[in-house]
Amino acid sequence: MSKSQVALGEGEELIAEIEAELWAISSNPVAQLFGEILKFIAAILGFKKKGFIVITNKRVVEIYDQINCYVFNTERRVKYLLPSSIKEIGYTKKAMCGLFCPGFYLYYEGLTNKTMVLLKDADESKASKLVDSFYKALKG
């Protein structure tokens, strides 16, 4: 079983599991540090949040978990993305002052909302590969 705890169906293969960075807002080391500090404080107080995008050869699933008081899963959202509802898939590269600490974000835009996820330790080729596999899963 994967980190996101998605059970795969018969003949379904896991292509990618992207853990969303929900604490830091960019790949800038200062923002990452503030994100880690917030995450640490929340862990001491008993709060945790986790998000995943799971891409298989047959579907794309978006998952969000909120854990309070250390053990109580107070919120779990599981969303299957339908190919007909996705208008656009891609990635963006954002850097601080145009040069420093480039961050790659996977995004997809549906009919009702847009989701953007910071990819940890990604480069141009990894971001492109994830977008291609996302597209193939929705098309397939």
Side-chain angles (χ1 to χ4, degrees):
M1 183 129 340
S2 60
K3 287 170 128 182
S4 61
Q5 300 176 351
V6 169
L8 300 178
E10 188 175 321
E12 193 171 22
E13 299 173 20
L14 182 66
I15 295 172
E17 182 178 61
I18 304 165
E19 186 171 359
E21 174 56 65
L22 300 174
W23 297 98
I25 57 171
S26 78
S27 61
N28 176 338
V30 175
Q32 292 285 335
L33 177 65
F34 283 128
E36 288 297 320
I37 291 169
L38 288 174
K39 186 177 181 178
F40 179 73
I41 292 169
I44 289 172
L45 298 175
F47 299 101
K48 190 187 317 183
K49 56 185 178 177
K50 296 187 286 187
F52 295 94
I53 297 172
V54 179
I55 303 170
T56 71
N57 59 337
K58 295 185 178 182
R59 62 185 172 155
V60 177
V61 183
E62 186 179 302
I63 300 166
Y64 173 80
D65 285 316
Q66 175 73 43
I67 298 168
N68 292 338
C69 298
Y70 300 101
V71 295
F72 300 110
N73 193 340
T74 57
E75 182 179 358
R76 180 170 176 90
R77 284 182 262 153
V78 178
K79 187 188 312 185
Y80 287 68
L81 303 177
L82 303 174
S84 61
S85 69
I86 302 297
K87 297 187 315 181
E88 185 176 323
I89 305 165
Y91 69 91
T92 60
K93 175 184 174 184
K94 293 183 182 178
M96 186 175 150
C97 299
L99 299 171
F100 305 110
C101 311
F104 289 88
Y105 297 81
L106 172 75
Y107 75 91
Y108 50 93
E109 188 169 337
L111 298 173
T112 58
N113 67 332
K114 180 176 182 176
T115 300
M116 183 176 278
V117 177
L118 175 62
L119 301 172
K120 293 180 181 179
D121 304 322
D123 58 5
E124 191 98 22
S125 64
K126 182 178 178 184
S128 179
K129 183 180 174 186
L130 283 172
V131 169
D132 289 343
S133 60
F134 195 118
Y135 177 74
K136 288 176 185 173
L138 286 176
K139 189 177 178 187

